Amino acid sequence: MGGVALPSAVAEPSQPADVAVQDHRPDQPLVIGHRGAPGYRPEHTLASYELAARMGADYIEPDLVSTKDGVLVTRHENEIGGTTDVASRPEFADRKTTKTIDGEQLTGWFTEDFTLAELKTLRAKERIPETRPHNTLYDGRYEVPTFQEVVDLTKRLARELHRTIGIYAETKHPTYFKKAGLALEPKLVEALTRNGLNRPNAPVFVQSFEVSNLKELKRQLRVPLVQLVWTEGQPYDFVESGDPRTYADLVTPEGLREIATYAKGVGPEKGMIIPRDEKGFLTEPTTLVSDAHGAGLVVHPYTFRNENTFLPADFRSSDNPAEYGRAFDEYELFFKQGIDGLFSDNTDTAVAARSEVLARR
């Protein structure tokens, strides 16, 4: 097991969690279940989302891609060779192909080449088995969910747990899907509207690494939008339109003020808040949090994980990349920066860390 200590609170998601979690308080940072709870179950499965909610996540995060017949399903990428058993299915061997996604060539199997009925015959598997070998126990047990199934799950859990379970949806590769005739945004707007979630104060965020689709969604959605940013490069819709601005330009004070004209928040990779040096050790924090707050934006960084391989060198427990490190120290440090929420693969750790920090205030 690579020394990974699994939390005792992890149960089959179909079983009630032995913990009472209150509705989110507006004075505390959000905990967002990044792809569900992929520290303990294969990502973007109903089991992963349910476990995150039972562990106390305020929101769960489904990444949205499209099937061939235009149904929104949840996968981190439209290439599914690494997250499903499609490579072992001889009936789909001829679907393997090479495509250019956001300027990068990828070979594999893609959701837009499968109908929903075909996708539903596949089974999810652990994406990083070398880091999370315990999750391979669940390989083959879960389907690829539709977005509607995720909405239905949050409604059921809200009734059972007597608290709100929010949805923090991301549109993946929106320019690519629009060019393929499978635009994600109309389907998302329709789904949120149909489910009574396209309204002010609905427990929903919508996020994207691109800009033009968020500006378009601002005219159609009444829920908050979040501009995702990365440590390098530029939004792909900028590449397509010839806009020279980069993600670094978007997080300048001027760039953040523009984001505030169409979004309510910014979602930076956590290293944009506290960078690391070439050896992986933390350096001095940037002014991103204060600059974003100055523009009226909330800040929800990603992604917090327990394993050494994902932690700053300051907080690693050993040379074993799959072993848990001092994740609580990292959470405390980032909460002290004044962030308004965060994305975590390990919801229970994030919730416990938040409680400890708040108790000391």
Side-chain angles (χ1 to χ4, degrees):
M1 297 293 289
V4 177
L6 289 180
S8 58
V10 177
E12 265 300 303
S14 59
Q15 301 300 317
D18 188 23
V19 61
V21 181
Q22 300 301 312
D23 237 334
H24 175 257
R25 287 167 28 200
D27 63 333
Q28 67 182 14
L30 294 174
V31 170
I32 303 144
H34 180 248
R35 312 182 198 178
Y40 314 115
R41 299 292 186 273
E43 66 186 34
H44 290 307
T45 59
L46 292 181
S48 184
Y49 299 134
E50 180 165 347
L51 186 56
R54 292 188 181 280
M55 286 179 161
D58 304 301
Y59 285 73
I60 56 174
E61 186 219 19
D63 292 339
L64 303 180
V65 295
S66 180
T67 65
K68 184 177 183 178
D69 44 351
V71 179
L72 294 181
V73 294
T74 70
R75 291 286 90 188
H76 178 57
E77 294 291 340
N78 54 327
E79 198 292 301
I80 53 174
T83 60
T84 73
D85 62 355
V86 66
S88 67
R89 305 290 287 272
E91 67 269 34
F92 297 129
D94 62 349
R95 305 285 176 93
K96 188 175 186 180
T97 187
T98 298
K99 299 191 178 194
T100 301
I101 312 293
D102 293 1
E104 188 176 328
Q105 272 205 338
L106 289 175
T107 298
W109 293 261
F110 298 84
T111 58
E112 65 271 20
D113 295 331
F114 292 76
T115 65
L116 177 62
E118 290 172 330
L119 270 184
K120 281 295 188 179
T121 69
L122 303 178
R123 291 298 177 265
K125 68 175 186 177
E126 172 54 37
R127 180 178 60 87
I128 46 173
E130 67 284 354
T131 303
R132 293 171 174 166
H134 49 279
N135 279 7
T136 62
L137 173 66
Y138 300 97
D139 285 357
R141 295 179 64 87
Y142 309 125
E143 295 181 354
V144 174
T146 65
F147 181 52
Q148 183 60 52
E149 287 173 329
V150 176
V151 173
D152 293 342
L153 174 69
T154 62
K155 291 180 177 180
R156 174 174 67 81
L157 289 174
R159 291 191 298 269
E160 180 183 337
L161 301 175
H162 305 291
R163 68 182 185 88
T164 303
I165 310 296
I167 295 172
Y168 206 124
E170 180 183 349
T171 59
K172 301 294 295 194
H173 310 299
T175 293
Y176 171 84
F177 276 108
K178 189 173 184 178
K179 283 188 163 186
L182 294 166
L184 306 172
E185 291 76 18
K187 298 287 186 180
L188 175 57
V189 172
E190 191 231 346
L192 292 176
T193 303
R194 184 177 67 247
N195 286 281
L197 294 171
N198 187 7
R199 56 179 172 80
N201 301 317
V204 175
F205 286 90
V206 173
Q207 58 180 338
S208 178
F209 278 102
E210 295 189 16
V211 175
S212 56
N213 68 322
L214 289 179
K215 290 183 175 181
E216 177 185 335
L217 284 170
K218 185 181 189 302
R219 298 191 292 270
Q220 303 172 63
L221 289 180
R222 304 179 74 189
V223 302
L225 308 178
V226 175
Q227 179 66 64
L228 294 170
V229 290
W230 181 241
T231 53
E232 57 188 31
Q234 61 183 142
Y236 190 69
D237 56 324
F238 284 11
V239 176
E240 287 282 299
S241 67
D243 190 322
R245 288 176 298 164
T246 65
Y247 285 121
D249 294 319
L250 294 185
V251 296
T252 62
E254 180 184 6
L256 292 165
R257 286 192 294 271
E258 182 183 341
I259 289 174
T261 65
Y262 62 88
K264 296 295 185 184
V266 60
E269 197 281 326
K270 62 187 180 182
M272 301 176 78
I273 295 175
I274 308 180
R276 304 182 192 185
D277 65 20
E278 65 279 359
K279 294 184 178 179
F281 288 92
L282 294 170
T283 61
E284 287 299 307
T286 68
T287 61
L288 176 53
V289 174
S290 59
D291 290 343
H293 286 167
L297 297 167
V298 296
V299 183
H300 297 161
Y302 62 90
T303 303
F304 292 78
R305 301 173 167 111
N306 287 356
E307 295 91 353
N308 282 323
T309 189
F310 302 116
L311 287 167
D314 315 63
F315 301 138
R316 293 171 194 158
S317 61
S318 71
D319 292 331
N320 183 341
E323 192 171 18
Y324 279 9
R326 289 165 35 222
F328 282 102
D329 292 342
E330 184 185 38
Y331 281 112
E332 179 176 5
L333 181 61
F334 275 83
F335 281 133
K336 286 181 176 178
Q337 303 306 309
I339 60 174
D340 304 286
L342 54 77
F343 291 83
S344 175
D345 280 12
N346 305 85
T347 303
D348 53 345
T349 312
V351 169
R354 179 178 66 185
S355 295
E356 290 179 7
V357 169
L358 291 175
R360 290 196 292 270
R361 285 183 179 175

